[in-house]
Amino acid sequence: MFKDRDVISIRDFTRDELIKIFNEAFKMEKNIGKRLDILKDKVLALLFFEPSTRTIFSFQTAMYRLGGETIIFSDVKKTSIAKGETLGDTIRVIDGYSDCIVIRHWIEGAAKYAADIAESPVINAGDGTREHPTQTMIDLYTIWRVKGRIDNLNIGLLGDLKYGRAATSLIYGLLKFNLNKLYLISPAELKIRDEVGDSLEGAGIKYIETNDLTDVLDDIDVLYVTRIQRERFPDPAEYERIKGSYRIDKSVLKYAKDDLIILHPLPRVDEISYEVDETKYAYYFKQASYGIPVRMALLKLVMAGE
Ligand code: NCD
């Protein structure tokens, strides 16, 4: 079921498979700090064509904790791609050096392209604006761990829902569960893309679009905040116009439910004020820490099986 499987889109996973990953991650949490030997002798290749902090280092740490090794690049200028080598040739060669490939690339569909070439499993760590499935596994795991369930919650996504791949993948992931209400809160220019809206409608999910967080915050159990994806704007002037258009601070939180949790895939820019970090609502650093057990679980399932 999991062994040798490519991880390209969160849509390829059933609800039961996601729960299986969560249960495995929960077991991994107990072993954090130890070096296991589940992936002894295995090599994970990390190919990052775009900046990363959490994703690259948590994959690397997860692999280390499982007893495996990593080969890694995060600066394209230091690879033969700078000499004109194609992505396809690079993948073909790295495939021979490793047992699994994690790739982040600015081109939509790059991970799928790599998976079509490589014999080893390929994990999508972000392909342009399109998807970021392992981030969604972490996001859903955090909700599952903190709230004890994913069903029957009112979930709000705030921010750049147009260019943000973490938000897009999370919407697709949430479709696997029985949501109560889905609030999509963004400036009008950054609303979900048509194909995402079509998926929601196809699944019969009712969603509420608004640009006013304070209007709906008192009905939200989980608020997922994202930054405006400046690097993806075709027109820098458009970014300048929209930037700073939303911000969570203590004054906004007076509208919050008592047990609201705030998540964010990070990095944050200015959309969550630092004063929020010390409130009971802030779960984004906890969420980042779950990157290790969740990626350990996934790597184990993909490389060693169940
Ligand atoms: C996200 C990404 O790269 O899409 N970062 C991450 O992996 N945690 C979110 C972002 O960059 O805004």
Side-chain angles (χ1 to χ4, degrees), residues 236-289:
E238 166 106 341
Y239 170 76
E240 288 302 320
R241 208 156 37 74
I242 304 175
K243 75 169 188 201
S245 54
Y246 56 92
R247 181 178 170 86
I248 312 278
D249 57 20
K250 277 190 176 164
S251 72
V252 174
L253 287 173
K254 63 176 187 279
Y255 301 100
K257 269 189 171 183
D258 199 45
D259 58 354
L260 167 78
I261 65 168
I262 300 175
L263 306 182
H264 191 309
L266 302 176
R268 88 172 123 183
V269 184
D270 55 9
E271 58 282 352
I272 300 182
S273 162
Y274 290 103
E275 68 184 19
V276 176
D277 298 0
E278 73 221 27
T279 69
K280 63 181 177 185
Y281 308 110
Y283 274 86
Y284 28 92
F285 290 110
K286 186 84 204 152
Q287 176 190 6
S289 77

Side-chain angles (χ1 to χ4, degrees), residues 148-285:
R149 66 184 201 280
I150 300 171
D151 293 324
N152 300 317
L153 291 170
N154 293 348
I155 304 210
L157 274 71
L158 168 68
D160 186 344
L161 309 181
K162 180 177 180 186
Y163 297 116
R165 58 195 173 201
T168 300
S169 277
L170 180 57
I171 292 171
Y172 289 141
L174 287 168
L175 290 181
K176 314 279 174 178
F177 296 86
N178 301 316
L179 288 187
N180 198 27
K181 283 188 207 156
L182 180 62
Y183 289 104
L184 301 177
I185 311 143
S186 70
E189 297 85 346
L190 298 178
K191 286 208 249 187
I192 52 166
R193 300 191 296 268
D194 289 348
E195 80 261 19
V196 181
D198 292 346
S199 296
L200 282 165
E201 271 140 39
I205 307 279
K206 288 203 192 67
Y207 58 96
I208 301 125
E209 288 186 304
T210 174
N211 60 10
D212 187 356
L213 174 67
T214 53
D215 228 24
V216 294
L217 185 58
D218 65 353
D219 195 34
I220 290 178
D221 300 304
V222 177
L223 180 65
Y224 189 85
V225 186
T226 60
R227 74 181 170 95
I228 299 186
Q229 309 277 304
R230 178 174 56 181
E231 68 277 27
R232 311 222 187 266
F233 276 67
D235 175 7
E238 166 106 341
Y239 170 76
E240 288 302 320
R241 208 156 37 74
I242 304 175
K243 75 169 188 201
S245 54
Y246 56 92
R247 181 178 170 86
I248 312 278
D249 57 20
K250 277 190 176 164
S251 72
V252 174
L253 287 173
K254 63 176 187 279
Y255 301 100
K257 269 189 171 183
D258 199 45
D259 58 354
L260 167 78
I261 65 168
I262 300 175
L263 306 182
H264 191 309
L266 302 176
R268 88 172 123 183
V269 184
D270 55 9
E271 58 282 352
I272 300 182
S273 162
Y274 290 103
E275 68 184 19
V276 176
D277 298 0
E278 73 221 27
T279 69
K280 63 181 177 185
Y281 308 110
Y283 274 86
Y284 28 92
F285 290 110

Side-chain angles (χ1 to χ4, degrees), residues 54-55 104 132 135 165-166 227 229 265-267:
R54 275 147 292 274
T55 307
R104 169 173 288 185
H132 193 353
Q135 180 65 47
R165 58 195 173 201
R227 74 181 170 95
Q229 309 277 304
L266 302 176

